[in-house]
Amino acid sequence: NAGVTQTPKFQVLKTGQSMTLQCAQDMNHEYMSWYRQDPGMGLRLIHYSVGAGITDQGEVPNGYNVSRSTTEDFPLRLLSAAPSQTSVYFCASSPDRAEGYGYTFGSGTRLTVV
Amino acid sequence: KNQVEQSPQSLIILEGKNCTLQCNYTVSPFSNLRWYKQDTGRGPVSLTIMTFSENTKSNGRYTATLDADTKQSSLHITASQLSDSASYICVVKVPGYSSASKIIFGSGTRLSIRP
C-alpha cells in the first residue's frame, strides 16, 4: 500500500548510543519532515526537507541529523542518545511545501533511552 | 507566541452519543485549520481542513466549525462509534511561510467511547 513507512516500530537504546530511524515514502512527495510527540504536548518539528539534497532545521533539532539523498528516503539519526530523546517519532510527507495538502504520517517509532 | 489550545484534554462518552471538541488559537492571521484523528499507535490522519473564510466543513459524522472572529474551532462528532476512540488534534498553518516550521499542533483531546 502507498504511504509512509517507518522502521523500526520500537527501539530501546542506552544513553550515548547512536541509531538511525528510517522513513520511506512511495508517493513521490516533495516534502518530508520528522516530528516528535511527547505526552501533553503537540507534535514538534525536528527537521524537514523540501526536496532531495535540501534539509533544514525545525523547532527542536539538537541531537538529531538528517539527510535526503533521494526523494523517497528521509532517515533521522540520533548522534548520542539521551533520556530526553525518549519519545514517539513520526515521519510525514506532503506533495507540496504549501498548505494545500495535508500530511501523510507514518505509524511512528517509539524510542526509549535508558 | 502563536499557540493552539485544545479542550478538554480527555473525554469519555457512551456509544451513540454526540460530543464536541474545542480548539482555541492565537495565530492571526492563519492560512488554514485542520483536524486530525490519531488512533493509538498510529500516525495522525487528516479529517477536515478549513480556510479562514469557511465556517463549517463536514466529513461523514464529523463536522468542524470555525469562528475566525473569536479564534475558535470545534469538532462535532455525531452518533459516536467505538472506532471514534482516538486522539483528535487541531493544527493551524501560519501564512507566508513555505516550510513546515510554521505549522502549529495542539496537544490533542483523547476521546474514549464506551459501549
Side-chain angles (χ1 to χ4, degrees), chain B residues 26-68:
Chain B
T26 59
V27 178
S28 183
F30 72 96
S31 292
N32 62 54
L33 185 149
R34 287 183 184 271
W35 283 92
Y36 281 86
K37 178 186 180 187
Q38 184 177 19
D39 293 314
T40 300
R42 308 290 295 176
V45 175
S46 181
L47 288 176
T48 64
I49 177 175
M50 289 181 294
T51 65
F52 66 89
S53 61
E54 296 179 291
N55 299 117
T56 185
K57 184 70 69 74
S58 292
N59 179 359
R61 294 179 297 103
Y62 300 100
T63 299
T65 62
L66 175 63
D67 186 333

Side-chain angles (χ1 to χ4, degrees), chain A residues 63-107:
Chain A
Y64 308 94
N65 273 353
V66 293
S67 60
R68 184 97 178 268
S69 57
T70 66
T71 300
E72 295 78 18
D73 299 301
F74 191 43
L76 177 72
R77 283 182 289 276
L78 278 70
L79 308 175
S80 177
S84 61
Q85 293 179 305
T86 294
S87 187
V88 182
Y89 292 84
F90 287 98
C91 179
S93 73
S94 176
D96 72 346
R97 67 183 69 182
E99 66 270 10
Y101 298 91
Y103 294 116
T104 300
F105 285 87
S107 57

